[in-house]
Amino acid sequence: EGADAVRVILKGLSAKLATRLPEMINAITFCLVAKGAILHVSEFRRKGWALPTLGTPGGGGALEVEGMVPFWMDPSVRGGAVPNGLFLDGIVVLTGPNTAGKSTIMRSVCAVSLLGNCGLAVPAS
């Protein structure tokens, strides 16, 4: 008998909320985006990341990065990430022995490029 009363109340609440579903989804999406932005700012301040300087459209396409570190490593930790500088203009072939850091450099370059083009802080100086 109590379960039936609860079921009736929940069905009524569900019907009322169904008309507000688009607004609720938009509010939840906004909250998630805002939380992501807050976390990004807090992380870039903690790790000392920088805001990028982007070139002009059609201005050559070269990529120059100073003090680039892997985004998953904290450069302030002793024995942690070693900052790297990089200048790319054209096609590049990256070679080296196993465990030399080729994949780390590529992931870091991709993170810097993606974050920078999105207008976010990058793991570099």
Side-chain angles (χ1 to χ4, degrees), residues 45-111:
R45 283 184 173 169
R46 187 178 71 79
K47 290 186 175 180
W49 292 4
L51 292 172
T53 303
L54 300 177
T56 58
L63 173 68
E64 184 172 3
V65 183
E66 293 296 327
M68 178 178 61
V69 293
F71 65 90
W72 61 91
M73 297 180 81
D74 192 346
S76 65
V77 174
R78 187 174 180 90
V82 175
N84 292 293
L86 181 71
F87 181 81
L88 297 175
D89 188 18
I91 296 176
V92 175
V93 177
L94 184 60
T95 64
N98 291 341
T99 68
K102 299 178 298 292
S103 296
T104 300
I105 289 288
M106 292 306 299
R107 280 191 295 267
S108 298
V109 168
C110 288

